[in-house]
Amino acid sequence: MARNLGKMAESELQRWAAQVGITANRATEDVEGWDYLLQFPPEQLVAGMPLDLRPSRIESFVQVKGTSTTENRESISLSNWEKLINTPLPAFFLIIVYGGNDSPQKAYLVHVDKQWISKALKRLRAVADGQKASLNRQTLDLTWSEADRLHALDGKSMEFAMRKHIGDFDKYAEEKQRYRKTIGSEAKLKFHITTEKYKTPNEMFEDLVSIAIGQKDSLNLSKLVVEENVRFGIPARRIEHEGGMISFGERPSKPINLVIGNSKETMTSVFPGTLITPDYFFPSKPIPGEHVKVRIQTEICDMVFLPFGENKKFESSFNLVAGEQRYQLGDLANRWRVITIFANAETEGCFFEIRDDQNAPYRATLRQPFPAPEKEVLSIAQSIERAFIVAQSFNIPLTTEVTIPQLLTQDSSIREVRELCDINTPIHSLRGTVILDSHDANKEYAFLFSRIIAFGELKLVVFMGFAGQLTIGNADEEEIPFEIKHPRRVLLESYKLKMIDKEQYDRLVEEQYEKLNNRGYNVIKFSN
């Protein structure tokens, strides 16, 4: 009479479970994909612990197999695998080997762990549509080794092995569910593109990199394959389309600051912007260095840069504001300063630098010749820079809104104030005409210079006093020409006012004359 190894193995499981107080609940005809639901004894309470904090009672599913061979392999239906991996509870296979005897010779406990879950899910993903209704006739082989063998043929050895695999029961269930849902997932959508033939690989890389950074918006195709919900390399659905064109929307980018300056760093401009690199477009194959291009976009420029190779070439377009529109003075100067930097690049050199929060700054020295800006454009840039320096010198808020025409019409006054206030710029002489009743060549004379400069709605009133030896020309004339060589600055006063009329201005002038008189200078007035 043939032995029923399955029944014998189940009886052995029930006996071992009873030895350690585990309740073995038998399934009806194995319709659930498992033979037994094992319920472990309630966990012991730690002294003083309330009942509501008692750890959850461990439960696990077990499928029992009895065998007389030493092949270490058993075919398990995919329907059983599916049920065992989908439950959040731990699942095991208990294989009891009898050989030619009626009593167990050895036993193996195989945990349905992450490795087996992954194998089963991959096998299930590969099942064709027409075969999904017959999972019980499709199999995945279970294997075991000496690492799975129980140390003894009793309940203690079985319980010890199960607890070792399970660990924290509550965390186990959460982690199994998370792993089952995420393992093998690759992409919601995956594209396989066959493009029109390129004449050379260089032409292909040039085209694809240009698309990746947004220089080109579309790509002509000879074939497009779209795969949805790819898992373990197998899509849930596959769509093929002959011919067509792909249009690309917004490219992934990261925030950066672009710094443009001369090589001595005496003049720099900083622009917040974004950096687009092509690496996202080539996830599995690096781009040859000579074909790498990056794109930098700011409110002032759109720059494409080739960072590798001896000649770090770049091409760019700049958007410099102009006209009657009002701009903050600091922003206006920051924009137009690049004109002066590029105009002097051939003699002074220039650089640009990319700064972000994650990486060390990347700096490139630009060696290619720049087209010389038109004289009128360069003159505007220099006038704006002078206005910016004067505003900084007198603490005019750089957020003050100005227009370019307003600054240009005052450029001569701004230039004078800039030069006369700069202590690093020597004044060799002052010339003009004065109204003078008498002249003493042995005395020092003081002169008052004043200008009103409008920065938007704000009026900057500047007074400067200069002292020195006076040399005069023809004294017979009412307005006498004069010259002061190497004058000294002896007074500098400024006022920032919203409004100023002639009466207020004249009063301020008289106050400055009084200050010079009080310091003992012979004060004379310019006739102009």
Side-chain angles (χ1 to χ4, degrees):
M1 182 177 178
R3 295 178 300 171
N4 189 332
L5 296 179
K7 292 291 185 183
M8 292 167 61
E10 289 181 17
S11 297
E12 205 65 40
L13 169 66
Q14 291 176 340
R15 188 171 69 86
W16 290 353
Q19 290 176 357
V20 289
I22 294 176
T23 303
N25 299 294
R26 179 77 169 85
T28 305
E29 297 300 326
D30 192 20
V31 294
E32 296 299 330
W34 43 270
D35 296 316
Y36 287 89
L37 170 63
L38 301 188
Q39 293 178 302
F40 284 52
E43 299 297 320
Q44 294 296 320
L45 282 174
V46 177
M49 177 184 290
L51 286 172
D52 62 300
L53 296 180
R54 185 201 297 266
S56 300
R57 185 177 182 180
I58 295 176
E59 296 182 333
S60 68
F61 291 123
V62 178
Q63 193 167 82
V64 187
K65 300 291 181 182
T67 181
S68 60
T69 71
T70 57
E71 189 177 345
N72 290 10
R73 180 180 294 273
E74 180 83 17
S75 292
I76 307 295
S77 71
L78 288 184
S79 59
N80 279 5
W81 277 112
E82 184 180 31
K83 292 169 184 175
L84 290 175
I85 65 176
N86 281 347
T87 175
L89 295 180
F92 297 91
F93 289 96
L94 178 62
I95 301 96
I96 300 179
V97 181
Y98 289 90
N101 301 307
D102 291 336
S103 59
Q105 302 301 300
K106 48 189 174 181
Y108 299 88
L109 185 73
V110 180
H111 177 217
V112 182
D113 58 10
K114 289 181 177 180
Q115 182 179 359
W116 283 111
I117 291 172
S118 179
K119 286 182 179 181
L121 286 172
K122 186 174 182 179
R123 182 74 174 82
L124 289 166
R125 171 51 74 106
V127 173
D129 287 339
Q131 299 175 324
K132 291 179 180 177
S134 58
L135 291 182
N136 60 326
R137 294 196 296 272
Q138 301 175 66
T139 63
L140 171 66
D141 282 358
L142 174 74
T143 59
W144 54 90
S145 67
E146 286 302 304
D148 304 309
R149 185 172 175 176
L150 294 180
H151 298 303
L153 299 174
D154 58 25
K156 285 186 177 180
S157 182
M158 181 183 72
E159 181 188 19
F160 176 82
M162 287 184 173
R163 286 186 179 275
K164 182 178 179 181
H165 286 299
I166 294 170
D168 186 312
F169 179 65
D170 291 327
K171 290 182 179 179
Y172 180 98
E174 293 177 6
E175 176 60 19
K176 182 177 178 181
Q177 288 289 79
R178 184 201 66 77
Y179 186 79
R180 180 181 64 82
K181 292 176 181 178
T182 58
I183 182 62
S185 297
E186 297 175 18
K188 292 291 184 184
L189 287 175
K190 192 179 245 186
F191 297 92
H192 300 273
I193 295 171
T194 305
T195 64
E196 296 179 346
K197 290 185 177 180
Y198 291 98
K199 294 179 181 178
T200 65
N202 286 347
E203 184 183 350
M204 177 192 70
F205 276 114
E206 177 70 25
D207 201 36
L208 295 180
V209 170
S210 295
I211 289 170
I213 64 173
Q215 276 187 300
K216 290 184 65 176
D217 292 326
S218 61
L219 177 66
N220 293 324
L221 307 177
S222 57
K223 186 177 182 180
L224 171 66
V225 177
V226 181
E227 295 178 339
E228 296 181 353
N229 293 320
V230 181
R231 194 175 191 186
F232 302 108
I234 305 169
R237 189 166 71 128
R238 180 183 172 95
I239 303 170
E240 295 189 12
H241 185 76
E242 298 293 332
M245 179 181 71
I246 294 181
S247 294
F248 297 85
E250 186 175 351
R251 275 68 168 179
S253 61
K254 68 176 181 178
I256 54 110
N257 280 320
L258 174 66
V259 183
I260 300 175
N262 60 9
S263 296
K264 295 180 180 179
E265 298 191 35
T266 56
M267 185 173 283
T268 58
S269 289
V270 182
F271 305 99
T274 57
L275 175 69
I276 305 173
T277 60
D279 48 299
Y280 75 94
F281 207 74
F282 302 85
S284 59
K285 186 176 181 179
I287 313 167
E290 65 271 19
H291 296 293
V292 173
K293 292 193 289 187
V294 299
R295 188 176 185 184
I296 303 164
Q297 292 179 300
T298 73
E299 61 181 359
I300 186 178
C301 71
D302 190 341
M303 179 186 295
V304 175
F305 176 60
L306 283 70
F308 301 113
E310 293 184 5
N311 296 317
K312 294 177 171 57
K313 297 180 181 178
F314 83 99
E315 49 192 72
S316 62
S317 59
F318 285 85
N319 175 31
L320 297 174
V321 297
E324 296 285 347
Q325 189 172 345
R326 302 176 77 86
Y327 297 95
Q328 292 186 0
L329 177 58
D331 179 53
L332 190 66
N334 193 52
R335 287 170 177 259
W336 277 81
R337 191 172 296 127
V338 297
I339 294 295
T340 306
I341 293 170
F342 288 161
N344 299 329
E346 190 170 351
T347 55
E348 294 183 3
C350 68
F351 72 91
F352 78 80
E353 188 171 274
I354 302 170
R355 299 175 183 172
D356 64 45
D357 294 335
Q358 286 78 38
N359 304 293
Y362 173 86
R363 175 176 289 205
T365 301
L366 304 180
R367 303 186 183 281
Q368 68 186 76
F370 291 88
E374 296 180 6
K375 288 184 178 180
E376 183 180 357
V377 173
L378 181 57
S379 177
I380 293 173
Q382 293 169 338
S383 296
I384 293 173
E385 187 67 22
R386 277 192 291 270
F388 173 79
I389 293 172
V390 169
Q392 276 193 314
S393 300
F394 291 95
N395 296 318
I396 301 294
L398 298 182
T399 54
T400 302
E401 293 188 343
V402 299
T403 67
I404 292 177
Q406 181 190 46
L407 299 181
L408 295 182
T409 55
Q410 303 177 100
D411 186 52
S412 60
S413 293
I414 292 172
R415 185 194 299 266
E416 288 175 324
V417 172
R418 163 80 178 95
E419 292 175 355
L420 294 176
C421 287
D422 186 2
I423 60 174
N424 296 316
T425 302
I427 303 174
H428 298 291
S429 66
L430 289 175
R431 292 186 177 89
T433 57
V434 293
I435 299 173
L436 192 64
D437 294 332
S438 61
H439 170 242
D440 187 341
N442 296 318
K443 291 184 178 181
E444 276 198 325
Y445 288 80
F447 303 87
L448 188 66
F449 172 90
S450 66
R451 288 292 183 268
I452 300 175
I453 302 171
F455 290 98
E457 302 299 325
L458 192 65
K459 307 297 187 295
L460 172 66
V461 185
V462 179
F463 295 99
M464 287 174 280
F466 299 92
Q469 297 296 321
L470 180 67
T471 302
I472 61 172
N474 187 356
D476 295 334
E477 300 177 10
E478 182 179 353
E479 295 183 356
I480 304 171
F482 78 91
E483 179 181 10
I484 302 177
K485 292 184 177 180
H486 307 295
R488 305 188 321 278
R489 298 177 183 86
V490 294
L491 181 143
L492 176 60
E493 296 285 350
S494 64
Y495 303 86
K496 295 184 282 287
L497 305 169
K498 289 290 184 68
M499 297 289 295
I500 184 169
D501 55 24
K502 186 177 186 306
E503 181 179 349
Q504 187 179 8
Y505 173 73
D506 289 342
R507 187 170 60 252
L508 289 174
V509 170
E510 291 303 320
E511 289 177 4
Q512 309 314 312
Y513 280 134
E514 185 175 351
K515 290 177 183 178
L516 291 173
N517 279 320
N518 291 338
R519 295 180 187 180
Y521 293 109
N522 295 302
V523 180
I524 59 174
K525 299 179 181 180
F526 286 99
S527 62
N528 51 352

PDB file of all heavy atoms in Angstrom, residues 54-76:
ATOM      1  N   ARG A  54       0.033  44.874  24.884  1.00  0.00           N
ATOM      2  CA  ARG A  54       0.608  43.565  24.613  1.00  0.00           C
ATOM      3  C   ARG A  54       0.923  43.445  23.119  1.00  0.00           C
ATOM      4  O   ARG A  54       0.103  43.819  22.267  1.00  0.00           O
ATOM      5  CB  ARG A  54      -0.370  42.460  24.992  1.00  0.00           C
ATOM      6  CG  ARG A  54       0.233  41.046  24.846  1.00  0.00           C
ATOM      7  CD  ARG A  54      -0.856  40.001  24.732  1.00  0.00           C
ATOM      8  NE  ARG A  54      -1.695  39.904  25.906  1.00  0.00           N
ATOM      9  CZ  ARG A  54      -1.499  39.053  26.915  1.00  0.00           C
ATOM     10  NH1 ARG A  54      -0.464  38.240  26.888  1.00  0.00           N
ATOM     11  NH2 ARG A  54      -2.347  39.012  27.924  1.00  0.00           N
ATOM     12  N   PRO A  55       2.114  42.957  22.727  1.00  0.00           N
ATOM     13  CA  PRO A  55       2.447  42.795  21.301  1.00  0.00           C
ATOM     14  C   PRO A  55       1.443  41.890  20.604  1.00  0.00           C
ATOM     15  O   PRO A  55       0.837  40.997  21.214  1.00  0.00           O
ATOM     16  CB  PRO A  55       3.852  42.158  21.337  1.00  0.00           C
ATOM     17  CG  PRO A  55       4.388  42.523  22.674  1.00  0.00           C
ATOM     18  CD  PRO A  55       3.227  42.584  23.608  1.00  0.00           C
ATOM     19  N   SER A  56       1.244  42.150  19.302  1.00  0.00           N
ATOM     20  CA  SER A  56       0.286  41.366  18.518  1.00  0.00           C
ATOM     21  C   SER A  56       0.683  39.894  18.522  1.00  0.00           C
ATOM     22  O   SER A  56       1.868  39.545  18.538  1.00  0.00           O
ATOM     23  CB  SER A  56       0.237  41.877  17.074  1.00  0.00           C
ATOM     24  OG  SER A  56      -0.155  43.221  17.035  1.00  0.00           O
ATOM     25  N   ARG A  57      -0.336  39.047  18.467  1.00  0.00           N
ATOM     26  CA  ARG A  57      -0.117  37.601  18.437  1.00  0.00           C
ATOM     27  C   ARG A  57       0.349  37.197  17.042  1.00  0.00           C
ATOM     28  O   ARG A  57      -0.263  37.562  16.030  1.00  0.00           O
ATOM     29  CB  ARG A  57      -1.418  36.889  18.785  1.00  0.00           C
ATOM     30  CG  ARG A  57      -1.304  35.382  18.920  1.00  0.00           C
ATOM     31  CD  ARG A  57      -2.650  34.815  19.343  1.00  0.00           C
ATOM     32  NE  ARG A  57      -2.570  33.370  19.523  1.00  0.00           N
ATOM     33  CZ  ARG A  57      -3.612  32.625  19.884  1.00  0.00           C
ATOM     34  NH1 ARG A  57      -4.791  33.201  20.116  1.00  0.00           N
ATOM     35  NH2 ARG A  57      -3.480  31.320  20.021  1.00  0.00           N
ATOM     36  N   ILE A  58       1.443  36.473  16.957  1.00  0.00           N
ATOM     37  CA  ILE A  58       2.007  36.085  15.653  1.00  0.00           C
ATOM     38  C   ILE A  58       1.125  35.043  14.989  1.00  0.00           C
ATOM     39  O   ILE A  58       0.667  34.083  15.619  1.00  0.00           O
ATOM     40  CB  ILE A  58       3.432  35.536  15.819  1.00  0.00           C
ATOM     41  CG1 ILE A  58       4.381  36.640  16.318  1.00  0.00           C
ATOM     42  CG2 ILE A  58       3.954  34.962  14.499  1.00  0.00           C
ATOM     43  CD1 ILE A  58       5.775  36.150  16.596  1.00  0.00           C
ATOM     44  N   GLU A  59       0.871  35.255  13.705  1.00  0.00           N
ATOM     45  CA  GLU A  59       0.172  34.286  12.866  1.00  0.00           C
ATOM     46  C   GLU A  59       0.963  34.100  11.575  1.00  0.00           C
ATOM     47  O   GLU A  59       1.567  35.056  11.082  1.00  0.00           O
ATOM     48  CB  GLU A  59      -1.241  34.751  12.539  1.00  0.00           C
ATOM     49  CG  GLU A  59      -2.150  34.882  13.741  1.00  0.00           C
ATOM     50  CD  GLU A  59      -3.562  35.311  13.372  1.00  0.00           C
ATOM     51  OE1 GLU A  59      -3.714  35.985  12.321  1.00  0.00           O
ATOM     52  OE2 GLU A  59      -4.494  34.978  14.110  1.00  0.00           O
ATOM     53  N   SER A  60       0.928  32.885  11.041  1.00  0.00           N
ATOM     54  CA  SER A  60       1.636  32.647   9.775  1.00  0.00           C
ATOM     55  C   SER A  60       0.968  31.507   9.019  1.00  0.00           C
ATOM     56  O   SER A  60       0.331  30.630   9.617  1.00  0.00           O
ATOM     57  CB  SER A  60       3.109  32.317  10.024  1.00  0.00           C
ATOM     58  OG  SER A  60       3.214  31.047  10.664  1.00  0.00           O
ATOM     59  N   PHE A  61       1.135  31.573   7.698  1.00  0.00           N
ATOM     60  CA  PHE A  61       0.623  30.512   6.835  1.00  0.00           C
ATOM     61  C   PHE A  61       1.742  29.518   6.536  1.00  0.00           C
ATOM     62  O   PHE A  61       2.899  29.916   6.333  1.00  0.00           O
ATOM     63  CB  PHE A  61       0.089  31.092   5.528  1.00  0.00           C
ATOM     64  CG  PHE A  61      -1.166  31.907   5.703  1.00  0.00           C
ATOM     65  CD1 PHE A  61      -1.221  33.226   5.280  1.00  0.00           C
ATOM     66  CD2 PHE A  61      -2.290  31.344   6.285  1.00  0.00           C
ATOM     67  CE1 PHE A  61      -2.376  33.975   5.426  1.00  0.00           C
ATOM     68  CE2 PHE A  61      -3.456  32.083   6.440  1.00  0.00           C
ATOM     69  CZ  PHE A  61      -3.501  33.403   6.019  1.00  0.00           C
ATOM     70  N   VAL A  62       1.372  28.221   6.475  1.00  0.00           N
ATOM     71  CA  VAL A  62       2.353  27.182   6.169  1.00  0.00           C
ATOM     72  C   VAL A  62       1.752  26.211   5.159  1.00  0.00           C
ATOM     73  O   VAL A  62       0.604  25.767   5.319  1.00  0.00           O
ATOM     74  CB  VAL A  62       2.769  26.405   7.436  1.00  0.00           C
ATOM     75  CG1 VAL A  62       3.758  25.294   7.071  1.00  0.00           C
ATOM     76  CG2 VAL A  62       3.385  27.330   8.467  1.00  0.00           C
ATOM     77  N   GLN A  63       2.522  25.930   4.129  1.00  0.00           N
ATOM     78  CA  GLN A  63       2.158  24.847   3.214  1.00  0.00           C
ATOM     79  C   GLN A  63       3.132  23.693   3.463  1.00  0.00           C
ATOM     80  O   GLN A  63       4.351  23.896   3.465  1.00  0.00           O
ATOM     81  CB  GLN A  63       2.224  25.306   1.755  1.00  0.00           C
ATOM     82  CG  GLN A  63       1.536  24.306   0.818  1.00  0.00           C
ATOM     83  CD  GLN A  63       1.309  24.875  -0.564  1.00  0.00           C
ATOM     84  OE1 GLN A  63       2.239  24.869  -1.371  1.00  0.00           O
ATOM     85  NE2 GLN A  63       0.114  25.365  -0.835  1.00  0.00           N
ATOM     86  N   VAL A  64       2.575  22.506   3.690  1.00  0.00           N
ATOM     87  CA  VAL A  64       3.382  21.352   4.101  1.00  0.00           C
ATOM     88  C   VAL A  64       3.572  20.415   2.915  1.00  0.00           C
ATOM     89  O   VAL A  64       2.622  20.121   2.180  1.00  0.00           O
ATOM     90  CB  VAL A  64       2.701  20.592   5.257  1.00  0.00           C
ATOM     91  CG1 VAL A  64       3.630  19.491   5.783  1.00  0.00           C
ATOM     92  CG2 VAL A  64       2.314  21.543   6.371  1.00  0.00           C
ATOM     93  N   LYS A  65       4.806  19.955   2.736  1.00  0.00           N
ATOM     94  CA  LYS A  65       5.127  19.008   1.670  1.00  0.00           C
ATOM     95  C   LYS A  65       5.886  17.825   2.271  1.00  0.00           C
ATOM     96  O   LYS A  65       6.859  18.017   3.007  1.00  0.00           O
ATOM     97  CB  LYS A  65       5.991  19.666   0.584  1.00  0.00           C
ATOM     98  CG  LYS A  65       5.346  20.861  -0.116  1.00  0.00           C
ATOM     99  CD  LYS A  65       4.173  20.438  -0.987  1.00  0.00           C
ATOM    100  CE  LYS A  65       3.562  21.631  -1.695  1.00  0.00           C
ATOM    101  NZ  LYS A  65       2.382  21.241  -2.508  1.00  0.00           N
ATOM    102  N   GLY A  66       5.443  16.601   1.987  1.00  0.00           N
ATOM    103  CA  GLY A  66       6.180  15.411   2.370  1.00  0.00           C
ATOM    104  C   GLY A  66       6.818  14.794   1.140  1.00  0.00           C
ATOM    105  O   GLY A  66       6.211  14.730   0.067  1.00  0.00           O
ATOM    106  N   THR A  67       8.066  14.358   1.253  1.00  0.00           N
ATOM    107  CA  THR A  67       8.778  13.819   0.097  1.00  0.00           C
ATOM    108  C   THR A  67       9.687  12.667   0.526  1.00  0.00           C
ATOM    109  O   THR A  67      10.137  12.601   1.678  1.00  0.00           O
ATOM    110  CB  THR A  67       9.604  14.908  -0.617  1.00  0.00           C
ATOM    111  OG1 THR A  67      10.259  14.341  -1.739  1.00  0.00           O
ATOM    112  CG2 THR A  67      10.640  15.513   0.325  1.00  0.00           C
ATOM    113  N   SER A  68       9.931  11.787  -0.421  1.00  0.00           N
ATOM    114  CA  SER A  68      10.841  10.668  -0.152  1.00  0.00           C
ATOM    115  C   SER A  68      12.162  10.834  -0.879  1.00  0.00           C
ATOM    116  O   SER A  68      13.069  10.017  -0.715  1.00  0.00           O
ATOM    117  CB  SER A  68      10.180   9.341  -0.576  1.00  0.00           C
ATOM    118  OG  SER A  68       9.891   9.372  -1.969  1.00  0.00           O
ATOM    119  N   THR A  69      12.268  11.910  -1.704  1.00  0.00           N
ATOM    120  CA  THR A  69      13.476  12.110  -2.500  1.00  0.00           C
ATOM    121  C   THR A  69      14.368  13.165  -1.857  1.00  0.00           C
ATOM    122  O   THR A  69      13.979  13.865  -0.923  1.00  0.00           O
ATOM    123  CB  THR A  69      13.117  12.556  -3.928  1.00  0.00           C
ATOM    124  OG1 THR A  69      12.627  13.897  -3.880  1.00  0.00           O
ATOM    125  CG2 THR A  69      12.055  11.652  -4.535  1.00  0.00           C
ATOM    126  N   THR A  70      15.576  13.276  -2.382  1.00  0.00           N
ATOM    127  CA  THR A  70      16.525  14.316  -1.915  1.00  0.00           C
ATOM    128  C   THR A  70      16.802  15.332  -3.026  1.00  0.00           C
ATOM    129  O   THR A  70      17.872  15.918  -3.088  1.00  0.00           O
ATOM    130  CB  THR A  70      17.840  13.653  -1.488  1.00  0.00           C
ATOM    131  OG1 THR A  70      18.360  12.897  -2.597  1.00  0.00           O
ATOM    132  CG2 THR A  70      17.631  12.739  -0.301  1.00  0.00           C
ATOM    133  N   GLU A  71      15.814  15.504  -3.895  1.00  0.00           N
ATOM    134  CA  GLU A  71      16.001  16.384  -5.070  1.00  0.00           C
ATOM    135  C   GLU A  71      16.058  17.858  -4.691  1.00  0.00           C
ATOM    136  O   GLU A  71      16.584  18.683  -5.431  1.00  0.00           O
ATOM    137  CB  GLU A  71      14.865  16.141  -6.069  1.00  0.00           C
ATOM    138  CG  GLU A  71      15.094  16.831  -7.406  1.00  0.00           C
ATOM    139  CD  GLU A  71      13.990  16.514  -8.392  1.00  0.00           C
ATOM    140  OE1 GLU A  71      13.222  15.563  -8.155  1.00  0.00           O
ATOM    141  OE2 GLU A  71      13.891  17.240  -9.402  1.00  0.00           O
ATOM    142  N   ASN A  72      15.501  18.220  -3.531  1.00  0.00           N
ATOM    143  CA  ASN A  72      15.495  19.613  -3.056  1.00  0.00           C
ATOM    144  C   ASN A  72      14.790  20.568  -4.019  1.00  0.00           C
ATOM    145  O   ASN A  72      15.188  21.719  -4.180  1.00  0.00           O
ATOM    146  CB  ASN A  72      16.926  20.118  -2.793  1.00  0.00           C
ATOM    147  CG  ASN A  72      17.542  19.453  -1.587  1.00  0.00           C
ATOM    148  OD1 ASN A  72      16.986  18.487  -1.061  1.00  0.00           O
ATOM    149  ND2 ASN A  72      18.685  19.944  -1.150  1.00  0.00           N
ATOM    150  N   ARG A  73      13.721  20.100  -4.639  1.00  0.00           N
ATOM    151  CA  ARG A  73      12.977  20.928  -5.582  1.00  0.00           C
ATOM    152  C   ARG A  73      11.532  20.438  -5.628  1.00  0.00           C
ATOM    153  O   ARG A  73      11.273  19.232  -5.608  1.00  0.00           O
ATOM    154  CB  ARG A  73      13.609  20.861  -6.969  1.00  0.00           C
ATOM    155  CG  ARG A  73      12.898  21.699  -8.037  1.00  0.00           C
ATOM    156  CD  ARG A  73      13.617  21.551  -9.369  1.00  0.00           C
ATOM    157  NE  ARG A  73      14.956  22.137  -9.290  1.00  0.00           N
ATOM    158  CZ  ARG A  73      15.229  23.407  -9.522  1.00  0.00           C
ATOM    159  NH1 ARG A  73      14.261  24.249  -9.859  1.00  0.00           N
ATOM    160  NH2 ARG A  73      16.470  23.837  -9.445  1.00  0.00           N
ATOM    161  N   GLU A  74      10.578  21.383  -5.671  1.00  0.00           N
ATOM    162  CA  GLU A  74       9.161  21.030  -5.741  1.00  0.00           C
ATOM    163  C   GLU A  74       8.443  22.089  -6.581  1.00  0.00           C
ATOM    164  O   GLU A  74       8.655  23.296  -6.398  1.00  0.00           O
ATOM    165  CB  GLU A  74       8.555  20.997  -4.337  1.00  0.00           C
ATOM    166  CG  GLU A  74       7.095  20.656  -4.279  1.00  0.00           C
ATOM    167  CD  GLU A  74       6.819  19.157  -4.322  1.00  0.00           C
ATOM    168  OE1 GLU A  74       7.761  18.375  -4.080  1.00  0.00           O
ATOM    169  OE2 GLU A  74       5.672  18.779  -4.599  1.00  0.00           O
ATOM    170  N   SER A  75       7.615  21.648  -7.506  1.00  0.00           N
ATOM    171  CA  SER A  75       6.842  22.582  -8.339  1.00  0.00           C
ATOM    172  C   SER A  75       5.626  23.070  -7.563  1.00  0.00           C
ATOM    173  O   SER A  75       4.837  22.256  -7.061  1.00  0.00           O
ATOM    174  CB  SER A  75       6.395  21.893  -9.639  1.00  0.00           C
ATOM    175  OG  SER A  75       7.508  21.627 -10.457  1.00  0.00           O
ATOM    176  N   ILE A  76       5.473  24.406  -7.474  1.00  0.00           N
ATOM    177  CA  ILE A  76       4.349  25.027  -6.768  1.00  0.00           C
ATOM    178  C   ILE A  76       3.545  25.831  -7.786  1.00  0.00           C
ATOM    179  O   ILE A  76       4.110  26.587  -8.587  1.00  0.00           O
ATOM    180  CB  ILE A  76       4.826  25.965  -5.641  1.00  0.00           C
ATOM    181  CG1 ILE A  76       5.807  25.231  -4.703  1.00  0.00           C
ATOM    182  CG2 ILE A  76       3.649  26.554  -4.882  1.00  0.00           C
ATOM    183  CD1 ILE A  76       5.190  24.091  -3.943  1.00  0.00           C
TER     184      ILE A  76
END
